[in-house]
Amino acid sequence: MVYPRLVVQHVERARGLALARVTASPAVAGMIIGPILNQYVETHGWQAAYQALALCASISGVVVFLLIPPDGQRAKGPRARPEKFSAAYREIFAARAFWILALAMLLCNLPQTLLLTQIKLLVMDQGISGEGAAAMLSAMSFGMLAGRLATGVALDRFPPHIVAFIALGGPTLGLFALVSPLDGPAVVMAAVALLGFAFGAEGDAVAFLVARHFRVAVYSSVMGLMTAIMSFSTALGAAVLSMVLARTERFDPFLNGTGIAVALGAALL
């Protein structure tokens, strides 16, 4: 939540793209650093790799801290008194936009457990081989990165609620496609990519909508609540999926139910 707050505070004209670049950084770093780190572990061992990571994180952390621009408003005058905790949350909970976003995130994140823990089993249940499942994981990662960048650019150019509806409602098509008799590799890959796209787009869309409807002074508090709601929704989805698999040994009921939930959540936006 720290870096999106800096973007919201200091970037106005291309905020969507800036948020996309910030939230896409971990994925890009993982794609670049992963193979390098793997080679380093094989050559020097995992303990040396941890030491190298600690050194890099320390140096880069200090550099980033020094590059953070000062708060322009506070730099011009005396430091303003921080707002009271209760007053900030009264403002947040009194806002209609908060409850709409909260319910939308609760519904849209129910199927996220599929991406986090079950994606390989899910695609193999569609008749995809283990080797093909690895390709599906790559499609998911590509979809996540594409979702972050495409949504960020679109948020700067089109009505943000429409962009959020399309980006976060896309998994509905993917979930229903996985239930359908169309279980060819191309269909499954497209469905998984749609799930990844929404997972990547979500961070941009939520951060942008929160910045649109709330003051910067309470931005981090609202984002903290949204993050908690999304985490709770993912955990709730995992519990529901566990019960469904225990009773039916099939993914289809969960895919149908969460497909409807995602459609409703996206429509709220």
Side-chain angles (χ1 to χ4, degrees):
M1 291 181 287
V2 174
Y3 297 115
R5 163 64 186 259
L6 291 171
V7 171
V8 169
Q9 189 169 349
H10 295 282
V11 181
E12 295 182 2
R13 299 183 64 180
R15 181 175 288 169
L17 179 58
L19 286 169
R21 293 182 63 178
V22 169
T23 56
S25 295
V28 174
M31 294 168 60
I32 297 174
I33 297 173
I36 298 175
L37 189 62
N38 181 67
Q39 183 66 32
Y40 194 88
V41 170
E42 292 182 356
T43 304
H44 302 284
W46 65 269
Q47 291 174 314
Y50 269 112
Q51 293 169 349
L53 283 175
L55 180 62
C56 291
S58 300
I59 295 173
S60 60
V62 171
V63 171
V64 169
F65 179 77
L66 294 175
L67 288 173
I68 293 175
D71 187 330
Q73 294 179 347
R74 291 182 177 177
K76 295 177 182 178
R79 180 178 293 273
R81 295 180 60 185
E83 295 189 35
K84 290 184 178 181
F85 179 87
S86 58
Y89 278 87
R90 278 199 302 270
E91 175 186 338
I92 294 170
F93 293 144
R96 179 170 172 265
F98 170 79
W99 297 106
I100 293 175
L101 281 170
L103 184 55
M105 292 304 102
L106 182 66
L107 293 172
C108 288
N109 280 274
L110 288 172
Q112 294 300 352
T113 187
L114 293 173
L115 291 179
L116 297 175
T117 62
Q118 302 290 322
I119 190 65
K120 184 174 181 180
L121 294 176
L122 176 62
V123 298
M124 292 181 71
D125 188 59
Q126 304 291 318
I128 305 298
S129 65
E131 183 178 348
M136 301 298 168
L137 293 175
S138 298
M140 181 187 72
S141 299
F142 178 81
M144 290 172 59
L145 187 58
R148 287 190 173 109
L149 296 176
T151 302
V153 173
L155 285 169
D156 289 329
R157 289 162 173 78
F158 304 103
H161 61 289
I162 300 297
V163 175
F165 166 72
I166 294 173
L168 300 188
T172 299
L173 300 176
L175 292 165
F176 288 154
L178 291 172
V179 180
S180 73
L182 304 173
D183 53 2
V187 174
V188 176
M189 181 173 289
V192 171
L194 278 173
L195 293 175
F197 187 95
F199 190 70
E202 184 178 70
D204 292 349
V206 174
F208 196 95
L209 290 173
V210 170
R212 174 64 63 91
H213 293 284
F214 295 90
R215 297 182 298 119
V216 174
V218 298
Y219 173 84
S220 296
S221 296
V222 179
M223 281 301 298
L225 289 168
M226 289 298 160
T227 303
I229 291 168
M230 290 187 285
S231 299
F232 172 77
S233 176
T234 302
L236 179 62
V240 173
L241 176 60
S242 178
M243 290 188 292
V244 169
L245 291 177
R247 294 186 179 185
T248 68
E249 297 184 354
R250 292 182 59 83
F251 285 98
D252 290 3
F254 182 79
L255 294 172
N256 280 320
T258 53
I260 295 172
V262 169
L264 293 174
L268 281 172
L269 297 172

